[in-house]
Amino acid sequence: MRRGPDRREDTRRWPALAPALDRAIQDPDWALDFVEEVQDESEPAPAEARQFSTYKAWDLLRFLLARTEFPVNVIHGEEPFAEDEEWGYGPSRYLRPERVRLAAEALRATSYVQLIRGVDPAELTSAEVYPLGWSEPSTLEWGRPRYDGLTQFFEAAARSDDAMFVWLD
């Protein structure tokens, strides 16, 4: 079964992929089966999970991280994977274990308070950051739980020396 936009709405996903990255690259069908298996699991705390989703907060986090010149593209991934297959809205990408470790270190060193410092909600509206509706400064707090979960998830993946797939679902 190929995943498509009708299954979940506007969700950025990060399944942790143990050292089987080489197998996944060689056999994208195996990788898709792995991802679907992980997605069917219950949703444990981010530090114990094999996958994590920011749901609709992905674009807010992208915008905030870009402002800090974050060293790893944790929102879109960095290396193309199975470009001829769509796992949601477009092809998936991945992060190698060393990039996961760097991202975990940088996420840990960057608090959410630092990310939102000096951000005017009007900037988000002007930049058309999804989902729209950035009229009050308090709306920036909406992304905090997802950022905290993303940080925990990356830290756990880094400890396990995992690679990650990243895609918009």
Side-chain angles (χ1 to χ4, degrees):
M1 169 181 90
R2 294 290 174 237
R3 299 186 43 77
D6 59 326
R7 179 114 184 246
R8 285 210 172 99
E9 183 178 312
D10 298 324
T11 301
R12 184 63 61 183
R13 297 201 171 270
W14 291 265
L17 181 64
L21 179 61
D22 290 336
R23 179 177 180 191
I25 291 169
Q26 297 299 316
D27 187 354
D29 289 331
W30 175 86
L32 181 60
D33 289 343
F34 170 82
V35 165
E36 288 178 342
E37 174 187 321
V38 168
Q39 285 183 324
D40 289 339
E41 295 175 355
S42 65
E43 293 191 30
E48 288 96 40
R50 293 197 315 163
Q51 68 106 18
F52 182 77
S53 172
T54 57
Y55 297 98
K56 294 184 178 191
W58 67 270
D59 201 27
L60 171 63
L61 297 178
R62 177 207 52 82
F63 178 87
L64 296 172
L65 291 168
R67 290 178 70 246
T68 70
E69 298 181 11
F70 202 76
V72 178
N73 189 342
V74 298
I75 302 302
H76 295 291
E78 294 184 338
E79 297 189 45
F81 177 78
E83 289 188 37
D84 58 333
E85 295 186 37
E86 294 194 3
W87 289 13
Y89 294 105
S92 68
R93 299 177 69 80
Y94 67 94
L95 298 170
R96 293 189 177 276
E98 61 273 11
R99 301 299 287 167
V100 171
R101 285 190 300 277
L102 178 60
E105 292 169 14
L107 287 164
R108 186 179 327 107
T110 308
S111 71
Y112 194 73
V113 169
Q114 289 172 293
L115 282 182
I116 63 173
R117 185 175 294 133
V119 175
D120 181 339
E123 288 178 74
L124 300 171
T125 300
S126 176
E128 298 182 356
V129 172
Y130 178 86
L132 299 176
W134 307 105
S135 57
E136 302 291 325
S138 62
T139 58
L140 291 170
E141 285 300 315
W142 176 72
R144 182 185 300 270
R146 293 295 173 192
Y147 182 76
D148 293 345
L150 185 67
T151 300
Q152 294 167 25
F153 181 72
F154 266 83
E155 287 177 336
R159 283 191 300 275
S160 297
D161 200 33
D162 280 337
M164 285 187 201
F165 287 121
V166 183
W167 75 94
L168 181 61
D169 190 24

